[in-house]
Amino acid sequence: MTALPRLSVDIVSDVMCPWCIIGWLKFEKVMDHFAGRLDFRVQWHPFELNPDMPPEGEDAVAHVMRKYGITAEQSRANSGKMSGVAADLDFTFNRGPGFRMRNSFDAHRLLSWAGALEEPEQQAATGVQTALKLALFRAHFTDNRDVSDHGVLADVAASVGLDRDRAFTILAGEEFGEMVRVEEAYWADQNVTGVPAFILGGRMLIPGAQDPEVFIRVIEAKILAAAA
């Protein structure tokens, strides 16, 4: 059987970013569209929307009001819009009164660890790193868990088959911290200033939570046509 053309998909994102999970759910439809035509290989990369977020986090509504200079009513309207879009993609946002923004640096350290466990030539299109990323999105946005807490992070890692004790050991020290910092600096140098950002084939940047049709047009015109 002839091997399918392989397409690398690098996704720069933050666990704190609601549009990042929405963007991924839309991109899943792109992969379904090209099933049998392209062999996707997905890798996630770190971006911190709020690198200076304190350990206790911040009330989400107050955070958005302060950061973007909007009213509480505007913040609730924006949240309602995102919740509706997510619901149409079968993802639930439960952003109640106690919902807080969290520091995501340690979550990124675990994601870097998960990515390092996968052999590029052996991994599936989406492997354990993707499973961990999605579990972290659910823990934060759906279950309202504190994904800066080391115990919560270790539990989420274990839920996707990773070694909980190893995860806790990583979190207790500084492992993978430098890797996260280096990657963040690299993507900043590549002019990635917002997330999600999708890089197709290592060269084609598509910013934002675009509709599937946008990706399909680009892949058809710029990748498949060029390979024909």
Side-chain angles (χ1 to χ4, degrees):
M1 179 181 292
T2 303
L4 296 176
R6 177 170 292 185
L7 180 61
S8 65
V9 183
D10 294 287
I11 309 175
V12 186
S13 80
D14 191 4
V15 173
M16 294 295 107
C17 169
W19 289 110
C20 288
I21 178 58
I22 289 171
W24 167 254
L25 294 171
K26 290 182 177 183
F27 191 75
E28 284 187 317
K29 297 181 181 297
V30 178
M31 294 194 294
D32 289 342
H33 177 84
F34 288 106
R37 298 173 61 193
L38 281 173
D39 179 16
F40 290 90
R41 287 292 182 270
V42 174
Q43 186 172 6
W44 298 83
H45 304 280
F47 186 101
E48 292 175 87
L49 288 171
N50 304 290
D52 298 321
M53 182 65 67
E56 68 273 15
E58 183 179 6
D59 175 78
V61 174
H63 171 80
V64 171
M65 290 171 60
R66 175 183 59 79
K67 186 172 183 177
Y68 299 105
I70 62 176
T71 66
E73 291 74 18
Q74 289 172 318
S75 176
R76 284 192 288 269
N78 290 341
S79 293
K81 176 183 176 182
M82 287 186 292
S83 295
V85 174
D88 288 341
L89 295 164
D90 296 322
F91 188 88
T92 301
F93 284 168
N94 286 326
R95 306 211 289 182
F99 185 73
R100 300 180 72 79
M101 299 297 290
R102 303 290 183 180
N103 188 296
S104 59
F105 183 70
D106 283 338
H108 286 303
R109 289 203 291 137
L110 282 193
L111 287 161
S112 293
W113 165 53
L117 294 174
E118 298 180 326
E119 294 292 337
E121 296 304 317
Q122 298 176 0
Q123 69 187 46
T126 55
V128 68
Q129 189 191 42
T130 294
L132 178 59
K133 185 78 173 188
L134 300 185
L136 288 166
F137 279 134
R138 287 190 297 272
H140 176 59
F141 287 112
T142 303
D143 301 332
N144 197 14
R145 301 177 74 187
D146 180 357
V147 294
S148 67
D149 179 86
H150 288 183
V152 170
L153 286 170
D155 287 344
V156 174
S159 76
V160 299
L162 292 166
D163 186 311
R164 188 188 189 281
D165 290 340
R166 175 68 178 125
F168 205 88
T169 298
I170 290 169
L171 294 166
E174 299 182 358
E175 288 183 84
F176 296 97
E178 183 63 20
M179 180 182 292
V180 171
R181 295 298 187 210
V182 168
E183 280 209 72
E184 288 178 331
Y186 171 79
W187 291 111
D189 287 344
Q190 302 305 304
N191 296 316
V192 174
T193 58
V195 289
F198 294 77
I199 299 89
L200 306 181
R203 58 187 175 83
M204 197 170 302
L205 170 64
I206 300 180
Q210 302 289 346
D211 288 336
E213 293 75 19
V214 173
F215 288 100
I216 290 169
R217 285 197 300 268
V218 170
I219 292 171
E220 292 277 11
K222 303 293 186 180
I223 295 175
L224 289 179

